[in-house]
């Protein structure tokens, strides 16, 4: 383990401004797929009790012909599988054969619009046809590049539109395109569902009508009704109206406790008129997304059993969040732990041209971003007309969070940090992960994530909530993916297990990518499995046990 940091820095607005950042352009370059498994070279020891596969997803192709994507989120989905068995590892990858990928490949040009890239009219059409095409409605992409998820025992890759794809988790072959809107009245769903112990999955998705948008809480039953079943039985538990139905909030995920789904309505806003007319205006889809720091963030609570939306709304200052850590109920309070930032403009900063910059231009992009930190909100659940006003209702010991009731249906909250000042030295924390199967929706002690002293993660961090202590794994020129915790088969403690992450070296050399295995308790390296292929920096993944 190394904790040496690189780059010159100076203090700016409470954060360390970095200079001399390494160019990470190789992390966002097109690569070839590796459809047949290849052996990895193992260094150290990978425990033989690990039997399964790390499945990961992310962009892997950033252009077709002479047309290039603009945004990191636009690249074509490339699925990865590191299979671990008897201390040995093999690797394979495949591009998702989505309709978007197939149409683009067939014409060798970008035919389907993505989040930050507008598909231009076909040059083979005449001038009048190209003019008329600007009035056509943009079809949602099925480029499911965000994550691997599981419904009813089957694996899917997902994005945030109404389309996802069932895939073969062994071969990574694309099996079936599934449309949420064929089962329930939603126009999309997140790539971050939550799973109850009985296997019921919960998710969120928007629906649109003439009045604007509704946020919908979705449930999917755990069991299949037949071999070809996908989302049959899915239902909308309830719908939540945005503060402004024509300018709803963007959300990437949500939180869940034992009894509640927690939706965080943040002031990253979507201008529906701009989005609906982006093709006519010749603008990208993301041009309709903006940050409004003058609006508060609102927590909405939905009872999972009844589908009832709590009339009490929990407000806090403007902040943005992409990933929640955990949520649990205890002694009349609901704790919501999440990674959040005081600014929400980052989503439009992750342009490929920014990620490929070097020198002072790269430093400027990084230093313009607000850092993301783990924080806890404490929401009092038993608000009634008799609840005292204008005093802190948080009576939890050793908690600096506040919750002040302003009326019978509004509580204003402030957070407490889930870290000490030493996390500032590592650029904050994102891509959080916990011992999910045993501790999601329950009190817990540890979480893991990436430190961000760059535009992508550049260190691995283990946070201990007992004392808010951290452990760090860092080596210069190595960039880790989201950490995934896998418990040991005889685990008795919360951190009995290993951490998996995929690392990429810069400059890229032979075997520049490797699967790293850390002892989750000590955060020391156990072993690594090097593969002779380049893998771009991706988003999310999961561990598939060989026993499931």
């Amino acid at each position: 383990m190394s904790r040496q940091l690189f780059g010159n820095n100076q203090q700016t607005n409470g954060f360390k401004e970095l200079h001399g950042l390494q160019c990470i352009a190789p992390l966002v370059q097109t690569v070839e797929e590796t459809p047949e498994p290849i052996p990895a070279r193992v260094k150290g020891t990978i425990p033989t009790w690990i039997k399964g596969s790390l499945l990961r997803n992310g962009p892997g192709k950033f252009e077709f012909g002479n047309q290039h994507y603009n945004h990191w989120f636009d690249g074509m989905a490339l699925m990865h599988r590191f299979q671990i068995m008897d201390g040995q590892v093999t690797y394979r990858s495949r591009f998702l054969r989505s309709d978007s990928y197939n149409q683009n490949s067939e014409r060798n040009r970008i035919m389907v619009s993505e989040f930050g890239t507008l598909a231009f009219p076909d040059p083979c059409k005449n001038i009048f046809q190209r003019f008329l095409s600007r009035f056509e409605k943009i079809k949602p992409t099925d480029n499911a590049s965000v994550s691997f998820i599981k419904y009813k025992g089957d694996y899917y890759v997902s994005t945030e539109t109404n389309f996802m794809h069932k895939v073969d988790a062994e071969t990574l072959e694309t099996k079936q395109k599934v449309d949420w809107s064929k089962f329930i009245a939603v126009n999309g769903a997140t790539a971050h569902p939550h799973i109850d112990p009985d296997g019921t999955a919960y998710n969120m998705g928007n629906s649109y009508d003439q009045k604007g948008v509704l946020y919908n809480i979705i449930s999917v039953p755990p069991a299949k009704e037949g071999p070809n079943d996908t989302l049959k039985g899915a239902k909308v538990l309830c719908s939540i109206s945005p503060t402004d139905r024509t300018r709803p909030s963007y959300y990437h995920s949500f939180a869940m406790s034992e009894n509640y789904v927690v939706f965080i309505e943040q002031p990253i806003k979507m201008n529906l008129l701009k989005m609906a007319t982006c093709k006519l205006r010749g603008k990208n889809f993301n041009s309709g997304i903006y940050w409004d720091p003058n609006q508060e963030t609102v927590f909405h609570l939905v009872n999972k059993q009844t589908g009832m939306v709590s009339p009490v709304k929990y407000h806090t200052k403007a902040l943005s969040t992409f990933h929640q850590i955990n949520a649990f109920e205890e002694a009349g309070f609901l704790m919501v732990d999440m990674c959040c930032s005081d600014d929400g403009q980052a989503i439009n900063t992750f342009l490929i041209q920014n990620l490929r910059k070097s020198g002072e231009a790269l430093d400027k992009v990084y230093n313009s971003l607000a850092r993301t930190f783990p924080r806890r909100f404490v929401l009092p659940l038993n608000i009634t007309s008799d609840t005292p006003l204008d005093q802190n209702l948080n009576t939890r010991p050793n908690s600096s969070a506040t919750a002040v009731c302003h009326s019978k249906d509004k509580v204003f909250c402030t957070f407490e940090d889930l870290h000490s000042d030493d996390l500032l030295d590592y650029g904050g924390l994102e891509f959080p992960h916990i011992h999910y199967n045993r501790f999601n929706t329950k009190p817990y002690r540890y979480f893991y994530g990436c430190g961000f002293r760059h535009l992508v993660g550049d260190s691995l961090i283990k946070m201990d909530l007992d004392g808010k202590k951290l452990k760090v794994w860092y080596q210069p020129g190595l960039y880790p993916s989201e950490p995934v915790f896998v418990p040991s088969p005889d685990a008795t403690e919360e951190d009995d297990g290993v951490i998996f992450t995929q690392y990429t070296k810069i400059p890229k050399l032979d075997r520049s990518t490797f699967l790293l295995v850390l002892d989750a308790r000590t955060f020391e390296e156990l072993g690594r499995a090097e593969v002779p292929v380049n893998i771009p920096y991706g988003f999310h993944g999961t561990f598939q046990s060989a026993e499931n």
Side-chain angles (χ1 to χ4, degrees):
M1 178 177 68
S2 170
R3 291 183 62 164
Q4 175 188 356
L5 298 177
F6 66 86
N8 300 319
N9 61 73
Q10 63 187 48
Q11 199 80 12
T12 302
N13 296 326
F15 300 116
K16 290 186 176 178
E17 186 173 289
L18 299 187
H19 297 275
L21 292 174
Q22 185 176 38
C23 177
I24 58 170
L27 300 184
V28 283
Q29 299 287 354
T30 294
V31 299
E32 299 294 325
E33 65 181 3
T34 308
E36 297 301 322
I38 58 174
R41 182 172 64 195
V42 174
K43 291 184 177 180
T45 301
I46 296 178
T48 55
W49 61 259
I50 303 172
K51 302 180 188 300
S53 300
L54 179 66
L55 304 173
R56 285 194 45 76
N57 196 1
K61 186 174 178 61
F62 299 93
E63 68 281 315
F64 284 91
N66 61 2
Q67 295 184 354
H68 298 256
Y69 289 113
N70 297 321
H71 201 282
W72 189 22
F73 299 172
D74 300 342
M76 293 291 98
L78 180 62
M79 302 172 289
H80 312 269
R81 180 182 187 231
F82 292 90
Q83 183 180 17
I84 305 102
M85 189 68 66
D86 299 324
Q88 300 300 309
V89 177
T90 60
Y91 169 80
R92 75 193 312 168
S93 66
R94 285 184 190 270
F95 281 106
L96 176 70
R97 264 51 179 190
S98 61
D99 291 348
S100 298
Y101 179 90
N102 291 334
Q103 291 174 31
N104 295 339
S105 298
E106 181 182 349
R107 302 296 293 272
N108 198 30
R109 61 186 299 270
I110 296 174
M111 298 292 295
V112 181
S113 294
E114 300 289 341
F115 176 75
T117 304
L118 185 66
F120 289 101
D122 190 338
C124 296
K125 293 181 178 180
N126 61 40
I127 294 176
F128 182 65
Q129 289 173 321
R130 291 201 297 269
F131 173 74
L132 288 180
S133 69
R134 290 189 175 273
F135 295 89
E136 296 173 355
K137 183 179 178 181
I138 291 182
K139 297 179 181 178
T141 181
D142 67 335
N143 175 37
S145 64
V146 177
S147 187
F148 270 89
I149 56 180
K150 199 173 183 181
Y151 291 108
K152 301 184 179 183
D154 291 325
Y155 282 93
Y156 296 80
V157 286
S158 178
T159 180
E160 296 178 344
T161 69
N162 52 304
F163 297 118
M164 60 182 183
H165 286 268
K166 183 188 289 187
V167 297
D168 185 319
E170 303 294 321
T171 65
L172 302 182
E173 292 177 313
T174 305
K175 305 299 289 185
Q176 181 182 358
K177 180 180 176 180
V178 178
D179 184 349
W180 278 98
S181 67
K182 301 296 184 183
F183 298 89
I184 51 176
V186 297
N187 299 90
T190 81
H192 291 287
H194 277 290
I195 311 297
D196 257 354
D198 69 354
T200 301
Y202 294 86
N203 208 333
M204 285 195 62
N206 289 349
S207 58
Y208 301 85
D209 60 25
Q210 293 180 343
K211 295 180 180 179
V213 168
L214 290 173
Y215 310 122
N216 300 286
I217 309 299
I218 304 163
S219 69
V220 180
K224 283 185 177 182
E225 296 188 15
N228 298 318
D229 182 17
T230 55
L231 296 175
K232 188 175 181 180
K235 62 181 180 180
V236 173
L237 285 182
C238 70
S239 300
I240 301 170
S241 292
T243 305
D244 180 347
R245 291 191 63 185
T246 65
R247 293 173 183 259
S249 292
Y250 168 80
Y251 56 93
H252 181 71
S253 58
F254 60 98
M256 187 179 81
S257 68
E258 182 179 358
N259 294 297
Y260 297 96
V261 169
V262 184
F263 168 53
I264 301 112
E265 188 176 19
Q266 61 188 350
I268 300 178
K269 295 296 181 179
M270 300 188 294
N271 185 319
L272 296 187
L273 179 60
K274 283 189 174 182
M275 292 176 129
T277 59
C278 63
K279 192 171 185 179
L280 177 63
R281 296 181 298 111
K283 298 291 185 180
N284 300 325
F285 192 73
N286 65 320
S287 66
I289 296 180
Y290 65 98
W291 167 248
D292 186 352
N294 297 315
Q295 293 200 32
E296 294 179 344
T297 300
V298 182
F299 294 78
H300 302 268
L301 273 56
V302 177
N303 186 295
K304 288 158 60 178
Q305 282 70 46
T306 66
M308 296 294 293
V309 183
S310 171
V312 180
K313 305 302 177 186
Y314 301 85
H315 292 242
T316 191
K317 68 174 187 176
L319 56 80
S320 66
T321 179
F322 280 80
H323 302 110
Q324 290 71 55
I325 305 167
N326 200 359
F328 61 93
E329 302 154 44
E330 195 172 62
F333 294 96
L334 172 59
M335 275 55 69
V336 182
D337 297 351
M338 59 192 193
C339 294
C340 46
S341 168
D342 296 324
D343 184 274
Q345 301 182 76
I347 192 171
N348 284 327
T349 301
F350 285 100
L351 303 175
I352 293 174
Q353 65 178 12
N354 286 340
L355 292 167
R356 290 176 177 171
K357 286 181 176 178
S358 61
E360 293 183 3
L362 174 61
D363 297 344
K364 184 177 180 180
V365 172
Y366 175 79
N367 292 323
S368 71
L369 294 176
R371 311 293 185 261
T372 300
F373 292 97
R375 297 168 175 173
R376 171 171 293 176
F377 288 86
V378 179
L379 313 183
L381 292 173
N382 302 314
I383 303 296
T384 69
S385 57
D386 296 325
T387 300
L389 303 181
D390 302 323
Q391 69 182 54
N392 185 14
L393 303 177
N394 180 16
T395 56
R396 288 178 60 82
N398 304 316
S399 173
S400 60
T402 67
V404 177
C405 187
H406 288 179
S407 67
K408 65 180 181 179
D409 56 8
K410 180 178 181 180
V411 178
F412 191 87
C413 302
T414 64
F415 61 83
E416 64 175 295
D417 290 323
L418 295 182
H419 63 91
S420 300
D421 289 345
D422 51 0
L423 185 59
L424 276 65
D425 293 333
Y426 298 94
L429 183 146
E430 250 290 3
F431 291 148
H433 203 271
I434 63 171
H435 185 162
Y436 188 93
N437 289 342
R438 279 185 55 186
F439 290 92
N440 190 52
T441 76
K442 298 177 177 65
Y444 69 113
R445 179 175 173 180
Y446 303 106
F447 63 94
Y448 312 86
C450 290
F452 271 76
R453 284 174 55 90
H454 212 302
L455 295 178
V456 299
D458 74 326
S459 63
L460 286 177
I461 295 175
K462 175 184 180 179
M463 293 295 307
D464 183 349
L465 293 178
D466 184 2
K468 299 180 181 178
K469 303 180 293 289
L470 59 75
K471 291 182 178 179
V472 179
W473 199 95
Y474 169 82
Q475 289 182 0
L478 298 182
Y479 297 90
S481 66
E482 166 193 64
V484 174
F485 176 84
V486 178
S488 60
D490 55 351
T492 56
E493 300 296 327
E494 183 179 340
D495 59 349
D496 280 350
V498 298
I499 292 292
F500 281 123
T501 187
Q502 170 214 303
Y503 259 100
T504 300
K505 302 177 188 175
I506 294 181
K508 287 195 171 183
L509 303 171
D510 182 40
R511 297 186 182 271
S512 61
T513 302
F514 61 91
L515 177 70
L516 178 69
V517 185
L518 300 181
D519 183 314
R521 174 171 289 183
T522 65
F523 230 50
E524 298 287 347
E525 178 175 347
L526 296 173
R528 63 179 66 183
E530 299 176 334
V531 292
V533 297
N534 292 328
I535 301 178
Y537 198 88
F539 298 136
H540 300 290
T542 189
F543 183 77
Q544 175 201 25
S545 172
E547 298 176 359
N548 293 341

